[in-house]
Amino acid sequence: MAEQLARDSQYAATVLKTLSNIQRSDALSKIRSGLIKAKDEIICANRLDLELANQSHISSSLIKRLDLSKNGKFDSMCDGIMDVARLEDPLNKITLATELDEGLNLYRVTCPVGVLLIIFESRPEVIANITALAIKSGNAAILKGGKESLNTFKAMAKVINHVLEIETDVPKNAIQLIATRGEVSDLLNQDTYIDLVIPRGSNQLVRSIKDNTKIPVLGHANGICSIYIDEFADIEGKAKRIIVDAKTNYPAGCNAVETLLINEKLLGTEAYKSILESLVSNEVTCHMAPELLRDLPSSLKDKYSKLFVEATERDFHHEFLSLDIAIKTVSDVKQAVEHINRHSSKHTDAIITENEENANIFLNGVDSSGVYWNCSTRFADGFRYGFGTEVGISTNKIHARGPVGLEGLVCYYYQLRGNGQIVGDYLGGGGKKAFIHKHLDTRGMRLK
Amino acid sequence: MAEQLARDSQYAATVLKTLSNIQRSDALSKIRSGLIKAKDEIICANRLDLELANQSHISSSLIKRLDLSKNGKFDSMCDGIMDVARLEDPLNKITLATELDEGLNLYRVTCPVGVLLIIFESRPEVIANITALAIKSGNAAILKGGKESLNTFKAMAKVINHVLEIETDVPKNAIQLIATRGEVSDLLNQDTYIDLVIPRGSNQLVRSIKDNTKIPVLGHANGICSIYIDEFADIEGKAKRIIVDAKTNYPAGCNAVETLLINEKLLGTEAYKSILESLVSNEVTCHMAPELLRDLPSSLKDKYSKLFVEATERDFHHEFLSLDIAIKTVSDVKQAVEHINRHSSKHTDAIITENEENANIFLNGVDSSGVYWNCSTRFADGFRYGFGTEVGISTNKIHARGPVGLEGLVCYYYQLRGNGQIVGDYLGGGGKKAFIHKHLDTRGMRLK
């Protein structure tokens, strides 16, 4: 069952990869029209999901994320499909061209990865978003949504499959939507057919997937982001605003700051007090390293005693996802870099300083997907980066890192076009001819 | 033990990644001098390996690969280090630059992957080759050679470690060489510290590594390459030369052809007979699909009866690595593409045709790391592609595909440089500012 499904996806992928950008973008436009036409049915199904959610005492924030009918969410979901359709074609770009010899030309060409298995929780609009990204990038996708949005998911799946089958050149099986959890665990064994798994959801979801598959997984389990306030930071103008934004703008986001490292030279200064005050006055609980907790500015201690607690070692490896932050001092930028390389989850880390040399030590030394200077970690996001949308944020060390847009869903292959050349004629293969290896200009070069 | 070793590598990687191209290339030059100075000791150790190999009845071809003293192998190994040193710096290249807003600039910058675990069999010169690629690309590497070259390996390791420690800015632990098989299996569990495993060796080696680690593995287990001879092929001028080269130039190579697909319209023609004759006259055993075996041209059948055998289904999924080839017919280029996408190992596949339309269907449809038109599959090689050297050939679908040179050992991260920007000021984050998202020209742009 899972094997057949995965095999069907792979076959669809081999057809989809040969379609032109026009054919792929046109399919997205048709899907958008189909969803708009079926709006009533989809909203109806969504209402059923909401009712079931209300009955099962799901948190109100989760219910809010489920609801497609409010604040023009349905329409903006449909518009989002066209935003993706209008993006530049990520396929068939030539990224390297070399004349190996006269009449023997090598091209490195972007191509789809193949078959994606995408597993996400709750928000139903993700279906439209991911469908658009997958088709635009020429990848077949198997989608599994959360059980909370099952009815919405089914209603949308029906429309998408119908449109693909009747109105487009994209094979119907290019997008397959599955409903049960059991199927996922079987699919995670289909490493012959599935090329990449993209989980979007909680730490537990991502970890359990990583532990149960040989297929490469693109994503992040944790977002343990740190900000280092250097001795040369502009505290009032930058540092305070940035840490408050990074912590409070959306504490549940993976790009929210979880650890604050302060240069020890700031200890005992007004600046130090001011930094702490900016956090506690915004109701942030500060998990202070023990030596800092003993030495708190007394005025703060009295006024906000409940918001200062002692940090455990674990707090510095921890993603709070709430109005909590772990705070410690470091002796200099190098120690900050070392702390981050040891404790962070390689998501996004920032330095606040006016000293360019220290900034460069940090930018060059921290080994994370995003390394920032004088701005909030919350900018780590595909939309903010200008990618139109994102399929997730990767903390992997290979393939794609940081917010992953269309470019993270493509890879490349080599085309070699000759007119009868054989290796036996060349040096190293038994012959006497030498290679030319002349690099050709590839700017804006496409295969078709 | 393995954990400490991996942790040391990771720490070394964080230092190595901050070094300049000059520092990295200088270290390579020092290693080369060190090896040349220690030539006598290394050749002595190599002789010991050869003696032990002779005693243990290892095949003569393997012994030949072990021997560093013949044909200037030692010197060309040392020269190879400088070839890598002289390659363009793969790090700190800016591959995307976007002005998100005034004073808020995003850069995508190439960086090392981190820590590589490289496992290879027999050939001792690979140590020098991989050490050079790793240091040049800013990656720490843990190397494990085959037991046949253990003494050579130890002698070279001693020199490399000593040179790094005394004469260079590269931390000594950036290159660690391990000797026992037991350590490898422990290291394969160190997914916290090791970022990429690169096995170079037999199918069994690669498979057993893939089955025993969560770390991404770059490489290929099989090289099942196919050539399709189209009805519009130039048989005498191209097809025959190419298949003979692809099969006989080096049958043990992963880029040797293993499957020949012939357009069925050629059946019964002189061309068909001529193709088969070119193979059997070069002592290639042809594993013929049953219906073809029944209908062999009689003159060939009489003269070369022993070289025609019946193909099993398995032969079309099989890497012979010998003077054997599986042969069947297909109805057209589309069926050839389907056969290859189902049976090949996504290594390198070629079409021989004078018909551009068919060539494009093939080039566009085959989902392999290398797809060739009118040339031998044997060109799939880092040196021939102009990469200077290669760390291996990847049949993965993500990160790096085909022959992997320096570029396959780097990834990227995002730098965001601001002057106090927070997300709360922008649309989507609670504020009113819009992003500019202006793409900047990155040609030749580097961070330093």
Side-chain angles (χ1 to χ4, degrees), chain A residues 7 10-11 14 17-19 92 96 98 100 104 106 108 111-115 195-196 210-211 214 216 237-238 241-242 245 249 338 341-342 346 356 360-361 363-376 378-379 383-387 396-403 407-408 411-430 435 437 439 443 448, chain B residues 7 10-11 14 17-19 92 96 98 100 104 106 108 111-115 195-196 210-211 214 216 237-238 241-242 245 249 338 341-342 346 356 360-361 363-376 378-379 383-387 396-403 407-408 411-430 435 437 439 443 448:
Chain A
R7 201 197 289 259
Q10 197 196 35
Y11 184 75
T14 63
K17 80 189 273 287
T18 66
L19 300 184
N92 298 306
L96 180 88
T98 309
L100 304 192
L104 185 65
L106 180 74
R108 189 172 66 197
C111 65
V113 166
V115 178
D195 299 300
L196 192 61
K210 286 198 174 187
D211 288 344
K214 278 189 208 168
K238 295 174 187 162
R241 298 178 70 235
I242 289 172
D245 182 81
N249 184 262
E338 278 192 30
N341 284 341
R342 189 164 306 137
K346 303 192 188 300
E356 189 168 351
N360 281 326
I361 290 171
L363 292 165
N364 199 18
V366 169
D367 180 26
S368 295
S369 320
V371 195
Y372 289 8
W373 178 16
N374 284 343
C375 50
S376 169
R378 289 273 298 136
F379 283 105
F383 169 72
R384 290 174 194 137
Y385 276 17
F387 300 164
N396 292 8
K397 297 293 297 286
I398 61 163
H399 188 63
R401 298 180 82 193
E407 283 194 44
C411 200
Y412 60 78
Y413 70 108
Y414 289 95
Q415 273 196 13
L416 186 61
R417 295 167 173 244
N419 50 29
Q421 287 82 353
I422 60 172
V423 160
D425 286 342
Y426 291 85
L427 284 168
F435 289 101
H437 290 151
H439 286 286
R443 263 176 284 163
K448 49 178 183 185
Chain B
R7 201 197 288 262
Q10 196 195 38
Y11 184 76
T14 63
K17 82 191 269 289
T18 67
L19 301 185
N92 298 306
L96 180 88
T98 310
L100 303 192
L104 184 66
L106 180 73
R108 190 173 65 197
C111 64
V113 166
V115 178
D195 300 300
L196 193 60
K210 286 198 175 187
D211 288 345
K214 281 190 204 164
K238 294 175 187 162
R241 295 180 71 234
I242 290 172
D245 183 80
N249 184 259
E338 278 192 32
N341 284 341
R342 188 164 306 137
K346 302 192 189 302
E356 188 167 354
N360 280 325
I361 290 171
L363 292 165
N364 199 17
V366 169
D367 181 24
S368 294
S369 319
V371 195
Y372 290 7
W373 179 17
N374 283 344
C375 48
S376 169
R378 289 271 300 136
F379 284 105
F383 169 72
R384 289 172 195 138
Y385 276 17
F387 300 165
N396 292 7
K397 297 293 297 283
I398 62 164
H399 188 65
R401 297 181 83 194
E407 282 193 47
C411 200
Y412 60 79
Y413 70 108
Y414 289 95
Q415 273 197 12
L416 186 61
R417 296 168 171 242
N419 50 29
Q421 285 84 353
I422 61 173
V423 160
D425 286 342
Y426 290 85
L427 285 168
F435 289 100
H437 289 151
H439 286 284
R443 262 177 284 160
K448 50 178 182 183

Side-chain angles (χ1 to χ4, degrees), chain B residues 41-241:
Chain B
E41 289 151 66
I42 295 167
I43 293 294
C44 226
N46 187 237
R47 221 162 271 152
L48 180 56
D49 280 332
L50 285 168
E51 270 167 37
L52 292 169
N54 276 317
Q55 284 165 24
S56 60
H57 309 291
I58 283 174
S59 76
S60 64
S61 71
L62 206 66
I63 287 176
K64 215 168 136 190
R65 296 173 81 184
L66 258 185
D67 193 346
L68 264 187
S69 64
K70 299 272 167 64
N71 305 320
K73 220 190 210 180
F74 186 89
D75 298 335
S76 74
M77 172 183 89
C78 293
D79 292 346
I81 297 175
M82 291 316 291
D83 289 344
V84 173
R86 279 186 292 260
L87 289 173
E88 192 201 359
D89 184 11
L91 303 181
N92 298 306
K93 281 183 178 177
I94 297 179
T95 58
L96 180 88
T98 310
E99 187 180 357
L100 303 192
D101 193 8
E102 215 188 299
L104 184 66
N105 291 309
L106 180 73
Y107 304 96
R108 190 173 65 197
V109 188
T110 60
C111 64
V113 166
V115 178
L116 317 174
L117 170 60
I118 301 170
I119 300 160
F120 54 95
E121 291 176 334
S122 61
R123 295 190 302 154
E125 71 270 29
V126 171
I127 303 165
N129 192 359
I130 302 270
T131 297
L133 283 168
I135 291 177
K136 180 75 182 186
S137 61
N139 289 286
I142 303 170
L143 305 188
K144 161 77 175 72
K147 67 173 187 307
E148 301 79 12
S149 55
L150 186 62
N151 292 293
T152 319
F153 186 85
K154 278 184 179 166
M156 287 177 64
K158 198 176 138 196
V159 174
I160 293 170
N161 282 327
H162 184 76
V163 168
L164 288 182
E165 189 167 13
I166 306 293
E167 300 180 43
T168 78
D169 297 325
V170 174
K172 183 183 78 154
N173 287 333
I175 301 293
Q176 298 195 73
L177 301 109
I178 59 169
T180 73
R181 192 116 189 156
E183 281 175 296
V184 171
S185 58
D186 290 343
L187 283 167
L188 291 175
N189 291 323
Q190 303 301 323
D191 53 315
T192 315
Y193 304 107
I194 299 175
D195 300 300
L196 193 60
V197 183
I198 306 178
R200 291 177 59 144
S202 67
N203 302 11
Q204 293 96 305
L205 175 80
V206 179
R207 273 182 208 292
S208 102
I209 287 167
K210 286 198 175 187
D211 288 345
N212 287 293
T213 188
K214 281 190 204 164
I215 307 168
V217 177
L218 189 80
H220 67 277
N222 274 319
I224 306 175
C225 302
S226 301
I227 293 179
Y228 164 61
I229 301 183
D230 190 44
E231 61 177 309
F232 304 108
D234 172 355
I235 304 289
E236 292 304 317
K238 294 175 187 162
K240 285 165 58 180
R241 295 180 71 234

Side-chain angles (χ1 to χ4, degrees), chain B residues 219-281:
Chain B
H220 67 277
N222 274 319
I224 306 175
C225 302
S226 301
I227 293 179
Y228 164 61
I229 301 183
D230 190 44
E231 61 177 309
F232 304 108
D234 172 355
I235 304 289
E236 292 304 317
K238 294 175 187 162
K240 285 165 58 180
R241 295 180 71 234
I242 290 172
I243 56 168
V244 170
D245 183 80
K247 185 67 259 182
T248 69
N249 184 259
Y250 181 54
C254 60
N255 51 18
V257 65
E258 308 290 4
T259 298
L260 180 62
L261 303 172
I262 302 177
N263 188 293
E264 65 186 17
K265 296 198 184 66
L266 296 174
L267 272 179
T269 64
E270 272 306 303
Y272 175 67
K273 187 180 150 194
S274 180
I275 290 166
L276 295 183
E277 190 160 21
S278 69
L279 289 167
V280 287
S281 66

